[in-house]
Structures are given as C-alpha cells and as structure tokens.
C-alpha cells in the first residue's frame, strides 16, 4: 500500500485552490464569489496543517504547533471576513435588488 | 520494528485518505459547476466536512473540531442566511455565458498547471522521507492543553489582536447590515 505522504495532502490543497479560483472567476452571484474565497482559505489552512505535520522534529522535544496555530487563525479570520462580506452583499442587494455582480457598475452608493 | 509497523492502524490510512480527498475535491468542483446557489451551499458544507476529516487524519483533532463548529456550523449558516435574505426570485439562476466560462477555466487551469509544476520541482523531502509518524508518538500534539499553552505564550499578541478584530468585525457588520427602511427598486406587493 502506498504511504500517504506530504505530496498527497498538498495535491488535495491544490485541487481546492484551483476550484476556489475557478469559483471566484466564473460566478456571477456575489455569494458564489464568497464561497470561492472560503475554498481558497480552506486550502491554505490545510496546507499549513499538512506541512506542520510532516515537518522534521526532534522526538525528545515538544511537537511543533506553528502551522496548527496559523490554521486556527485562518479559520477565525475567514469567519470574520465572511460576516463582513455578507453585510456588504446585503447592502448591495438593498441598493440594486439583485446580487448579480454584473449589475454593480457604480461606486456611488 | 518501527512504530509504523507496530501500529497497524496506519495501513488503512491510504483508503481513508483517498475517500476523504475524493469527497473534498469533488464537492469543491461541484460548487464551481453548479448554478443553483443553495446547491452550492450544500456542496460547500460537504467540502468543509471533508477538510475537517483531513485535519483528523493529520492528527489535528482540536482544529478539526473547531473547523466543524466554526466553519461548517457558523460561517456556512451565515452564508445560507445571506442566500435566503437576498433571494429575490427563487427560480433565478445566474449563469455566466460561454466565453466567461472559457476565460475563468483557462485562468484556473493555468494556475493549476503552475502549482503542479512547482510541486514537482520542489524538493519536499526533509529527511523523514515524508512518511507519517504515528500520532501517539507526538505527545500532546494537537490536543487542547498544548494548543492553549501555545496560544497564551508564543502567540499571545496574535490571540489578543484577533479578539479585538472579532469585536470590530461584529460591530462593523451589525452597523453595515442594519435595516434602513426597505428595499429600493423592488415593488412592494
């Protein structure tokens, strides 16, 4: 059986990042774009945890936790950013009666 | 006998990893392919759960629990709220036209090719040959006590700053999303 190595986790992270970028670029719905951003952030956090897990460490010392803590902060910041993005989308909907980003052509509120 | 041979649980890891990875990546691409916003939210839920499963496989148990609680149970519900609050026409489907799909997928495909080339040409082997050491050999790895200790000693500034940031975000989001007297441009029936 193949041992699961760092390459496999990084490949999963690649798949997520590519899907997130494709989602951000092709979606017309503003919430769809937000979902693409969430996918990219998840991919980055998975990358951090995978590299943290496979980092060489001295077995007599404490286990490394840096990537782990980074991933926790990524989750915190992604939740905060999703809240702000949804508040902006609600304002967009109130002004335009639609969440289609093609209709948002003016900067003036 | 190495630790990997002494603990046979590592032998089922490739099958479990393949199942979780397939679930995660397939759900992520289903989000891209689906035009219906509620279906996209469901596929996002599946993707987040798949990523939480991968965190469990990497031994990051607290992070997987936080991912399920905060991300799948908080952020996704917030997104569904947003979907329901902005649904002007339930049958409305916002689809990009043909050339937009081509342009978008070309960008994503070029980025994927670039990343795969970078992965192939980067030596990721550090001396452990990239194998997974057994989780129990890393005492306290990913457990609540060690993470708590790290958060309050090495990462104290970031911890406090993120608390202030969350406060600011809550106030800002509540202020921005307040009700201002109805929806302009939509006929009130």
């Amino acid at each position: 059986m193949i041992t699961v190595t760092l390459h496999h986790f990084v490949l999963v992270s690649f798949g997520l990042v590519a899907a997130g970028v494709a989602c951000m670029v092709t979606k017309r719905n503003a919430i769809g774009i937000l979902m693409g951003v969430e996918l990219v952030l998840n991919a980055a956090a998975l990358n951090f945890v995978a590299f943290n897990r496979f980092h060489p460490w001295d077995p007599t010392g404490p286990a490394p936790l840096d990537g782990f803590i980074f991933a926790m902060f990524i989750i915190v910041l992604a939740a905060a950013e999703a809240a702000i993005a949804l508040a902006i989308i609600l304002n967009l909907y109130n002004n335009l009666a639609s969440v289609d980003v093609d209709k948002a052509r003016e900067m003036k509120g | 006998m190495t630790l990997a041979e002494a603990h046979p649980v590592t032998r089922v890891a490739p099958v479990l990893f393949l199942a979780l990875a397939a679930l995660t990546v397939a759900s992520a691409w289903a989000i891209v392919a689906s035009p219906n916003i509620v279906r996209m939210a469901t596929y996002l839920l599946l993707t987040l759960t798949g990523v939480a499963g991968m965190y469990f496989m990497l031994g990051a148990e607290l992070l997987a629990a936080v991912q399920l609680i905060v991300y799948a149970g908080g952020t996704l519900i917030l997104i569904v709220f947003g979907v329901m609050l902005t649904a002007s026409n339930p049958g409305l489907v916002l689809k990009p036209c043909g050339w937009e799909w081509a342009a978008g997928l070309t960008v994503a495909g070029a980025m994927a090719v670039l990343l795969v080339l970078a992965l192939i040409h980067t030596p990721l082997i550090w001396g452990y040959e990239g194998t997974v050491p057994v989780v129990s050999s890393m005492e306290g790895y990913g457990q609540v006590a060690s993470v708590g200790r790290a958060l309050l000693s090495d990462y104290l500034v970031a911890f406090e700053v993120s608390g202030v940031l969350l406060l600011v975000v809550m106030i800002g989001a509540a202020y921005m999303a307040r009700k201002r007297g109805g929806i302009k441009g939509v006929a009130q029936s």
Side-chain angles (χ1 to χ4, degrees):
Chain A
M1 273 250 137
I2 318 166
T3 321
V4 177
T5 69
L6 176 61
H7 287 84
H8 301 113
F9 283 102
V10 175
L11 276 174
V12 172
S13 168
F14 282 174
L16 284 177
V17 135
V21 169
C23 198
M24 274 196 275
V25 170
T26 61
K27 294 292 175 191
R28 270 172 64 198
N29 196 331
I31 301 182
I33 298 177
L34 173 64
M35 288 187 189
V37 176
E38 298 297 327
L39 279 178
V40 171
L41 285 169
N42 266 300
L46 180 64
N47 229 353
F48 267 115
V49 179
F51 272 92
N52 184 22
R53 183 77 166 90
F54 288 95
H55 195 79
W57 66 291
D58 179 20
T60 58
L65 278 179
D66 304 315
F68 194 96
I69 305 282
F70 262 80
M72 289 199 73
F73 282 119
I74 285 177
I75 291 179
V76 165
L77 287 171
E81 164 253 340
I84 294 287
L86 283 166
I88 292 176
I89 289 172
L90 276 180
N91 272 335
L92 187 72
Y93 179 71
N94 279 340
N95 279 331
L96 295 174
S98 162
V99 286
D100 187 357
V101 291
D102 283 344
K103 295 212 171 73
R105 290 182 182 277
E106 295 177 351
M107 291 291 277
K108 189 169 174 303
Chain B
M1 173 186 304
T2 66
L3 280 166
E5 287 159 2
H7 293 261
V9 69
T10 56
R11 281 190 227 127
V12 301
V15 177
L16 184 62
F17 173 80
L18 196 61
L20 279 170
L23 168 75
T24 309
V25 179
S27 308
W29 282 100
I31 299 178
V32 181
S34 162
N36 184 354
I37 186 71
V38 181
R39 292 229 177 120
M40 281 162 57
T42 310
Y43 291 133
L44 183 64
L45 171 69
L46 279 180
T47 309
L48 295 175
T49 312
V51 171
M54 313 220 64
Y55 287 157
F56 273 119
M57 282 214 62
L58 284 164
E61 286 146 13
L62 175 65
L63 192 68
V66 166
Q67 160 94 0
L68 283 174
I69 293 173
V70 170
Y71 231 131
T75 308
L76 186 74
I77 301 299
L78 198 59
I79 291 178
V80 171
F81 265 96
V83 167
M84 291 304 160
L85 280 173
T86 58
S88 55
N89 181 2
L92 180 68
V93 159
L94 295 171
K95 288 183 77 126
C97 54
W99 71 268
E100 285 175 357
W101 267 116
L105 289 178
T106 307
V107 168
M111 205 187 84
V113 164
L114 176 68
L115 287 174
V116 169
L117 282 177
L119 175 63
I120 291 172
H121 292 287
T122 308
L124 286 177
I125 316 285
W126 280 309
Y128 255 67
E129 263 73 44
T131 56
V132 183
V134 177
V135 180
S136 60
S137 70
M138 300 167 102
E139 182 63 39
Y141 177 76
Q143 303 307 317
V144 183
S146 52
V147 171
R149 222 174 289 130
L151 272 179
L152 286 176
S153 59
D154 290 331
Y155 297 96
L156 181 62
V157 177
F159 179 67
E160 299 294 335
V161 167
S162 62
V164 174
L165 176 112
L166 283 174
L167 174 70
V168 170
V169 163
M170 271 201 295
I171 296 174
Y175 176 75
M176 270 205 294
R178 72 192 187 282
K179 187 172 171 63
R180 286 196 195 88
I183 303 171
K184 302 174 220 164
V186 174
Q188 305 287 337
S189 57

